[in-house]
Amino acid sequence: MVELGNFSAEEQAAQEERLRKVWKTPGGWRYWTSVNNSEIGLWYGVTAFAFMLFAGALGLLMRAQLATPNNDLISAELYNQAFTLHGTVMMFLFAVPIFEAVAIFLLPSMLGARELPFPRLSAFGFWSFLLGGIFVCGSIFFNAAPNAGWFMYPPLATDKEYAGIGADIWLLGLSFIEVASIAAAVEIIVGIMKCRAPGMRINMMPMFAWYLLIVAGMILFAFPPLIAGDILFEMERMFDWPFFDVSRGGDPLLWQHLFWIFGHPEVYIIFLPAIALMAMIVPTFSQRPIVGYSWIVLAAVGTGFLSFGLWVHHMFTTGLPQISLAFFSAASEAVAIPTGVQIFVFIATMLAGRVIFSVPMLFGAGGLAIFTIGGLTGVMVALAPFDWQAHDTYFIVAHLHYVLIGGMFFPIVAGIYYYFPFVTGKKLSDAWGKLAFWLMFVGFNVAFFPMHFSGLRGMPRRVFTYPEEFGWDLFNLVSTIGAFIFAAGVLTFVIDIFRPKPKSETRNLNPWNAGTLEWTNDPDESWGMRSVPIITSRYPLWEQENLQADIKAGRFYLPDAKSGKRETLVTSVLDAEPIQCLRVGGVSYIPMISALALGGVFIALTFHWWVPTIICAVITFIAIIWWLWTGTAQKPEADEVDVGLGQMLPVYVSGPASVGWWAMFITMVGDGTAFASLIFGYFFYWTVHDDFTAGATGPGAFWPMVALVLFVIAWLSTIAARTLNERGPARCRIALGAGILFTVAACLAGLAGPYVHGMDPTSNVYPATVWVIALWTVVHGAVGIVMLAYCLARSFAGRMTADYDQDIRNVTLYWHFMAFTAVVTFAVLGLFPMVSA
């Protein structure tokens, strides 16, 4: 039994004052340099919600156009831009970012942490998201919005005359936004695995943390294939490399594969966090722990796993072999099982408890009812014969919205009503909330249920008008009326948020009598937890006596901020035992500058402004190097510090014990997924063509094998540098220098094969694919050179030593992935198929 700290009232007041000083948010215009995860999460959420309202307005414009036959309210071109942006914004700028926002905001308090490990990375992700979203959404005001659908199928989207610059805005703008999503995934995974309160073993985590961990892992495997597809797509549009041009060996179906490998898991990336909110709300208003904790965790893992086997669900009409249709149809049916388990767990929890009916429960129950209808129609379209009839009709539009709005939007509103007191200390109105719910619930069903019938009557998606004699007019008129009723409900909800709230004399930090840890947090304070507690229960506020008072009195870990630096506790992955006192970044301009400069790269590329692209790239490079040099892996003033309760912990750790190592590993997993997608494309082309090379000259075997060997030697040099660093700097520097030289030679050899043999990437898909995979590896080699040079500079500056070796350990981890990438790349290009000059 750990003996808790005991401080006098004066000591507690002094501790709190020091904490406020350290965690203080700057005022005025410098407020935007803050990197507190709580504030970043709030900005994230407000911005995502604003984008949702914009997309909703576009949806109302579309419904107004379709209200009557032969309507000319808006032009076909504006309609195409509106429906493309509506889907794009809802899927990329609202559905995923809103949950990243909620996660970044809630997790520190929910996990009992002072802060997540990389608040500056979260800030970088926010600014990337904001700039990318404004760039994409603003395009419609200049008649330059994407107009080929939110899925951007070629050859329509690769037609420069039709798609114009809008397709480039979509590709490059969303690629930039995807950087923000992956940054958030890294923060969430490392935060959940390494920053839990002591005692919060992995089987004691809140359900929300479990779901977010699964979803963040899914992002690492779902988003990179789309990034790989974006690269191929933009290379075709920018440089005429024929990845999707059938006349030169390309195939538009590759885009569909890469897009839906991302697209269908994204539905569950959206759905699972919504279920996570319900997993927090249902136990609270049932006033008992959730039934079947292990079952619901396994069901969530199963849902995430199965979601990656469903992408062909969207491609049943593309002429794939029958065996493929049977497999993916079965997988599409099977995913209903873990999904159903989660819903039945909620029902069992409510039956086992004493349900308190409230606005959050009302929205949650309504959302589950709507989602269930969407799930039933999902089972229908999972059957290939039915899908052939319903594909690309308004039946699919109805199914998609029942799944997404029922499975995501209603739970989000439930979560906002539930956590609004956590954010502001004040509850939203029950009367306004019930009015908003019934307007939304009735309006939604009136809007989207008739679409099932118009779809079964043959109304195709993406038509901007229709003739009267087809019999679709009544269904569309009813749908339009329902859409405006639904919008009135959303407006009521927004008014409820922003209307003035009466001031109360006392503040209840836990108005719902919830049992999870986040409700101990005071919304007026900028830190996550007053002191980091010891957790022995899944619902500590219900089962650990006096916990809230003990946290407030500073009786646990990190009760003070004597160092004058922002600190959080790092714990072990499985058992949450304290292993490090981590110092996190404070107020800084660097994340904002890095994000804005990187955004400049993407925006300048969109318009083919090459000089501004180079300038912004240089600024980005300098900002990131400065960020790393000044903000990570710094030598502390002491090896160990007192974290409270008589325990001393190191400030500096390296290798698998450090959060930086985990961040590198997770990032490289996502990077490896993108690389695997490019290799998938190579073998896809090979299998769909009788002669993949079309008689073209290949890179031969010599230069690829030379590049392979040189990259392996560079990798071994990096490993040697890590080992030699323990014996002194001199030999380590020699190994680092050798690694740089071998990598330069490897990069040149990697490009020599296609260059020497005169492979023209514009002539056929084979040389284009060889070039893009070779360039991918060479660019990663160039990054490896920068990393080795960075370690060399840190060694000369005395910042990397035998005792402080986090830099070289993280770089070595990168090189493990780099070596694997190089071996696969040059073995594939040189040997499969072998074509010599």
Side-chain angles (χ1 to χ4, degrees):
M1 188 71 179
V2 177
E3 184 177 345
L4 302 184
N6 192 12
F7 301 102
S8 66
E10 292 78 10
E11 289 173 317
Q12 291 177 30
Q15 289 172 350
E16 289 196 18
E17 184 58 32
R18 284 190 289 268
L19 283 169
R20 288 192 187 95
K21 183 178 180 181
V22 168
W23 292 90
K24 181 180 179 182
T25 299
W29 60 273
R30 291 195 69 234
Y31 171 79
W32 299 104
T33 65
S34 176
V35 294
N36 283 359
N37 268 310
S38 58
E39 289 163 352
I40 293 164
L42 194 59
W43 303 343
Y44 234 129
V46 170
T47 306
F49 209 81
F51 285 139
M52 184 276 294
L53 294 176
F54 170 74
L58 294 178
L60 291 178
L61 182 64
M62 293 158 56
R63 286 308 329 158
Q65 166 64 22
L66 293 172
T68 58
N70 301 310
N71 199 351
D72 60 356
L73 176 66
I74 60 176
S75 66
E77 175 61 20
L78 179 57
Y79 184 89
N80 287 342
Q81 293 185 19
F83 85 71
T84 300
L85 273 189
H86 172 76
T88 297
V89 172
M90 285 297 192
M91 297 300 283
F92 292 97
L93 295 175
F94 172 63
V96 175
I98 192 69
F99 286 115
E100 292 171 341
V102 172
I104 290 170
F105 184 86
L106 283 178
L107 280 176
S109 299
M110 190 175 286
L111 298 174
R114 181 64 49 74
E115 180 66 290
L116 294 182
F118 309 114
R120 290 186 179 181
L121 184 63
S122 296
F124 172 81
F126 166 74
W127 290 109
S128 300
F129 164 67
L130 177 64
L131 181 61
I134 292 173
F135 179 57
V136 172
C137 293
S139 61
I140 197 170
F141 299 106
F142 300 93
N143 195 33
N147 59 0
W150 73 277
F151 33 75
M152 296 296 286
Y153 284 169
L156 188 66
T158 51
D159 185 337
K160 292 185 178 181
E161 291 187 8
Y162 173 76
I165 199 171
D168 298 303
I169 290 173
W170 189 95
L171 289 163
L172 293 169
L174 291 184
S175 295
F176 185 44
I177 293 166
E178 286 153 15
V179 171
S181 295
I182 292 175
V186 171
E187 175 79 314
I188 290 167
I189 293 173
V190 180
I192 293 173
M193 295 180 73
K194 298 289 290 181
C195 292
R196 304 192 305 276
M200 187 183 283
R201 299 191 305 273
I202 200 162
N203 64 338
M204 283 189 181
M205 292 197 308
M207 290 305 310
F208 187 83
W210 261 116
Y211 273 94
L212 264 295
L213 181 62
I214 294 165
V215 166
M218 291 173 66
I219 287 173
L220 293 181
F221 291 97
F223 276 68
L226 181 60
I227 294 174
D230 287 348
I231 291 171
L232 301 183
F233 208 120
E234 194 55 38
M235 294 298 280
E236 176 161 335
R237 287 187 54 86
M238 193 175 294
F239 302 114
D240 195 33
W241 292 18
F243 296 108
F244 310 111
D245 183 352
V246 177
S247 65
R248 291 179 286 170
D251 194 327
L253 277 185
L254 177 61
W255 171 260
Q256 290 200 35
H257 280 292
L258 293 176
F259 183 87
W260 290 117
I261 288 173
F262 148 80
H264 204 93
E266 192 197 21
V267 172
Y268 293 92
I269 288 171
I270 293 166
F271 164 68
L272 287 176
I275 290 293
L277 286 173
M278 294 304 300
M280 305 303 289
I281 292 170
V282 169
T284 294
F285 292 105
S286 301
Q287 287 296 286
R288 62 147 293 139
I290 197 163
V291 171
Y293 177 95
S294 300
W295 283 103
I296 196 170
V297 170
L298 289 173
V301 172
T303 302
F305 179 78
L306 287 174
S307 70
F308 284 91
L310 308 183
W311 82 88
V312 177
H313 178 106
H314 299 267
M315 300 172 62
F316 282 167
T317 61
T318 58
L320 294 172
Q322 289 293 327
I323 186 67
S324 297
L325 299 186
F327 173 82
F328 286 101
S329 179
S332 300
E333 299 279 355
V335 78
I337 297 172
T339 303
V341 167
Q342 295 166 78
I343 294 174
F344 282 121
V345 163
F346 296 150
I347 295 173
T349 302
M350 289 187 283
L351 291 174
R354 299 174 61 184
V355 178
I356 301 169
F357 292 100
S358 62
V359 173
M361 283 292 284
L362 194 61
F363 273 99
L368 288 178
I370 291 171
F371 176 80
T372 300
I373 296 174
L376 293 174
T377 57
V379 172
M380 295 169 68
V381 298
L383 301 173
F386 181 85
D387 185 79
W388 291 336
Q389 305 302 316
H391 189 76
D392 265 351
T393 70
Y394 260 76
F395 188 93
I396 304 300
V397 176
H399 160 69
L400 179 68
H401 284 81
Y402 265 85
V403 169
L404 292 182
I405 294 183
M408 187 274 290
F409 186 74
F410 273 79
I412 272 286
V413 178
I416 292 174
Y417 272 96
Y418 181 64
Y419 278 113
F420 197 81
F422 173 80
V423 179
T424 67
K426 300 175 183 178
K427 293 172 65 175
L428 291 173
S429 165
D430 286 347
W432 282 76
K434 291 176 182 177
L435 176 62
F437 169 77
W438 286 112
L439 285 171
M440 282 193 230
F441 187 81
V442 173
F444 172 82
N445 285 286
V446 171
F448 290 99
F449 200 81
M451 293 182 186
H452 293 102
F453 301 108
S454 58
L456 291 175
R457 287 197 172 197
M459 182 174 178
R461 305 162 73 178
R462 302 182 292 279
V463 292
F464 90 106
T465 191
Y466 52 91
E468 186 174 0
E469 60 268 20
F470 283 6
W472 303 334
D473 46 344
L474 178 61
F475 296 121
N476 279 285
L477 180 60
V478 172
S479 290
T480 300
I481 293 171
F484 279 89
I485 295 173
F486 181 77
V490 175
L491 182 61
T492 303
F493 168 59
V494 172
I495 292 172
D496 191 18
I497 290 176
F498 290 103
R499 68 181 177 83
K501 311 294 189 301
K503 293 184 178 180
S504 57
E505 295 293 329
T506 60
R507 298 185 59 184
N508 184 357
L509 295 182
N510 189 6
W512 309 116
N513 190 29
T516 45
L517 196 56
E518 69 273 18
W519 292 100
T520 63
N521 187 59
D522 188 340
D524 286 341
E525 304 295 357
S526 57
W527 56 73
M529 196 61 64
R530 165 66 179 86
S531 60
V532 179
I534 299 170
I535 300 303
T536 60
S537 165
R538 290 173 184 158
Y539 294 89
L541 293 188
W542 287 343
E543 298 172 7
Q544 290 184 234
E545 190 177 355
N546 297 323
L547 180 65
Q548 193 161 354
D550 289 339
I551 292 172
K552 176 65 177 174
R555 297 193 177 107
F556 292 103
Y557 292 103
L558 296 181
D560 209 333
K562 292 180 179 179
S563 68
K565 300 181 185 295
R566 298 185 177 190
E567 296 173 334
T568 191
L569 211 60
V570 174
T571 54
S572 60
V573 172
L574 295 179
D575 296 327
E577 296 178 354
I579 59 175
Q580 182 192 5
C581 177
L582 176 68
R583 289 178 175 169
V584 298
V587 174
S588 175
Y589 296 96
I590 294 181
M592 184 193 306
I593 294 172
S594 302
L596 296 181
L598 183 60
V601 172
F602 282 93
I603 292 171
L605 277 175
T606 302
F607 299 99
H608 300 179
W609 298 338
W610 306 116
V611 173
T613 297
I614 294 171
I615 293 172
C616 289
V618 171
I619 295 173
T620 303
F621 176 79
I622 294 172
I624 291 175
I625 292 297
W626 181 254
W627 180 353
L628 295 172
W629 190 272
T630 60
T632 62
Q634 302 302 314
K635 288 184 178 181
E637 74 284 353
D639 290 338
E640 291 186 333
V641 294
D642 183 359
V643 296
L645 305 185
Q647 187 162 357
M648 302 291 291
L649 288 180
V651 177
Y652 188 106
V653 297
S654 62
S658 73
V659 294
W661 188 94
W662 280 92
M664 176 64 78
F665 180 83
I666 293 164
T667 303
M668 295 313 299
V669 168
D671 183 86
T673 305
F675 171 68
S677 301
L678 293 177
I679 296 298
F680 168 81
Y682 185 91
F683 285 100
F684 172 84
Y685 288 128
W686 191 9
T687 55
V688 300
H689 293 97
D690 293 332
D691 181 10
F692 173 29
T693 66
T697 300
F702 175 74
W703 285 112
M705 292 304 104
V706 170
L708 187 155
V709 171
L710 289 172
F711 270 116
V712 169
I713 295 173
W715 167 57
L716 294 174
S717 298
T718 306
I719 295 175
R722 182 194 64 189
T723 303
L724 293 171
N725 183 61
E726 300 173 0
R727 304 175 188 175
R731 293 179 181 178
C732 172
R733 294 167 187 171
I734 293 172
L736 288 171
I740 292 171
L741 294 176
F742 281 117
T743 308
V744 171
C747 291
L748 294 175
L751 298 178
Y755 178 78
V756 168
H757 291 103
M759 299 183 73
D760 180 5
T762 64
S763 62
N764 185 266
V765 74
Y766 172 60
T769 309
V770 170
W771 269 108
V772 79
I773 294 175
L775 284 171
W776 174 275
T777 305
V778 168
V779 167
H780 281 71
V783 173
I785 292 171
V786 171
M787 288 184 173
L788 293 172
Y790 177 83
C791 288
L792 191 60
R794 296 278 285 189
S795 178
F796 278 112
R799 298 189 175 209
M800 189 181 84
T801 66
D803 294 325
Y804 301 100
D805 60 348
Q806 187 179 133
D807 296 313
I808 187 61
R809 284 183 173 269
N810 291 353
V811 168
T812 304
L813 179 61
Y814 171 87
W815 266 95
H816 293 334
F817 285 88
M818 178 69 246
F820 176 80
T821 299
V823 169
V824 173
T825 291
F826 296 111
V828 167
L829 298 186
L831 303 177
F832 301 97
M834 184 179 289
V835 180
S836 58

